[in-house]
Amino acid sequence: MISFFDTITDMREMIKRNLDLKYLIPFIANEAIIVLSTLSVMIFLKNENYSLMELISTIIMMIFIFFFFRKDFNKDKLKVDKETFRLIIKYTVIIFSLNIITTSIENLLSTLLNVSLDTTNQGMIIEMLYYNPFSISVSVILAGIIEEMLYRYSIFRIFKNRKTAFFISWLIFAFGHFSGFNLAAYISMISYLTLSFALTYIYYKYDDIRIVCGVHLLNNTIGIIEMMVLMFM
């Protein structure tokens, strides 16, 4: 007869074979940093300066990432050679093209359904850019690196089965940008699901965080430039 302790031991061995729970720490740290940064700004500045909250939490999280993941990489793994740069440019162009297609589909649906998309994440970022362009630009651009270290690198370390990691990474990143239970938010998920699938595929194919970080960073930079152009039109 199998004892309770044997069952617990078997479960621990199964978890050890399939999961690496160490990489849950960055997710916990990210949430804690966001909460503490928000409370600090509200308490000490006595206002809800969202762009400053974003900037502070982004910088602190970048510092955390540097120290937490420093043993995972040596200098050679972080160098961007010509082939890596070529792949970054190639997939940035592909994702930019996909963004044009998905944005066109979203705009068509919003027109047909008479729904404004201004309440989505992009609309909120444009609003914050208007009041504090530097803080929100830095936050959004660096967020690409943070998100890749969390939603791609960490998830592919937590789940040792790469197909499982692909599926979870794709959905968690996409629905992490879900902005509310309304038709505008549902329509906007077309872009996020497509972007998340493309980024996850890149990491799944090459297993190289440099490529996917570079693509995400450039994609966010292009997005910020587009939003700034919209602001002054």
Side-chain angles (χ1 to χ4, degrees), residues 22 117 119 124 139 145 149 153 171 179 190 195 218 233:
K22 166 190 170 184
L117 299 181
T119 56
M124 290 185 283
S139 299
I145 297 174
M149 295 307 298
Y153 189 83
L171 292 183
S179 59
I190 295 171
L195 174 63
L218 282 178
M233 285 182 64

Side-chain angles (χ1 to χ4, degrees), residues 6-223:
D6 288 335
T7 303
I8 295 297
T9 301
D10 290 342
M11 288 178 64
R12 289 177 61 185
E13 287 299 319
M14 183 185 69
I15 291 172
K16 189 176 180 180
R17 286 195 304 271
N18 295 285
L19 303 173
D20 188 346
L21 300 182
K22 166 190 170 184
Y23 288 95
L24 284 173
I25 295 174
F27 289 93
I28 298 169
N30 187 53
E31 295 304 315
I33 287 168
I34 291 171
V35 171
L36 291 174
S37 298
T38 301
L39 290 175
S40 297
V41 171
M42 292 177 68
I43 291 170
F44 293 108
L45 298 183
K46 302 190 183 303
N47 62 43
E48 295 184 354
N49 189 329
Y50 293 108
S51 58
L52 182 59
M53 294 174 190
E54 287 283 345
L55 181 61
I56 292 173
S57 61
T58 298
I59 291 172
I60 295 174
M61 190 59 195
M62 286 294 293
I63 294 170
F64 173 86
I65 283 173
F66 173 79
F67 285 103
F68 184 86
F69 293 102
R70 71 186 188 281
K71 292 182 180 179
D72 288 25
F73 305 104
N74 55 40
K75 290 182 179 180
D76 291 334
K77 285 187 176 180
L78 294 177
K79 288 180 180 177
V80 177
D81 53 30
K82 289 183 180 180
E83 178 60 20
T84 303
F85 183 74
R86 185 188 69 80
L87 289 171
I88 290 172
I89 298 301
K90 170 187 172 181
Y91 284 107
T92 299
V93 171
I94 291 173
I95 286 179
F96 181 74
S97 302
L98 288 173
N99 284 340
I100 293 174
I101 294 170
T102 54
T103 300
S104 299
I105 293 171
E106 288 175 352
N107 289 335
L108 176 61
L109 288 174
S110 67
T111 301
L112 292 175
L113 299 173
N114 194 27
V115 175
S116 172
L117 299 181
D118 291 340
T119 56
T120 61
N121 289 322
Q122 188 179 39
M124 290 185 283
I125 291 172
I126 290 174
E127 184 178 349
M128 287 191 286
L129 269 173
Y130 182 81
Y131 294 103
N132 202 331
F134 173 77
S135 293
I136 199 63
S137 295
V138 172
S139 299
V140 170
I141 291 170
L142 292 181
I145 297 174
I146 294 172
E147 289 174 339
E148 290 311 315
M149 295 307 298
L150 291 175
Y151 297 110
R152 242 66 64 184
Y153 189 83
S154 292
I155 287 178
F156 273 81
R157 295 300 176 281
I158 294 170
F159 299 94
K160 296 181 181 180
N161 183 300
R162 288 177 60 77
K163 290 183 179 179
T164 300
F166 183 105
F167 184 75
I168 292 173
S169 174
W170 171 40
L171 292 183
I172 288 182
F173 176 82
F175 285 98
H177 292 81
F178 188 60
S179 59
F181 293 95
N182 54 68
L183 192 53
Y186 297 140
I187 293 173
S188 295
M189 284 303 295
I190 295 171
S191 289
Y192 288 119
L193 283 166
T194 304
L195 174 63
S196 183
F197 185 89
L199 290 171
T200 308
Y201 170 79
I202 294 168
Y203 188 70
Y204 181 84
K205 181 176 181 179
Y206 296 99
D207 194 21
D208 190 334
I209 197 63
R210 297 172 302 173
I211 299 171
V212 75
C213 276
V215 171
H216 199 152
L217 189 147
L218 282 178
N219 182 69
N220 283 5
T221 303
I222 292 169

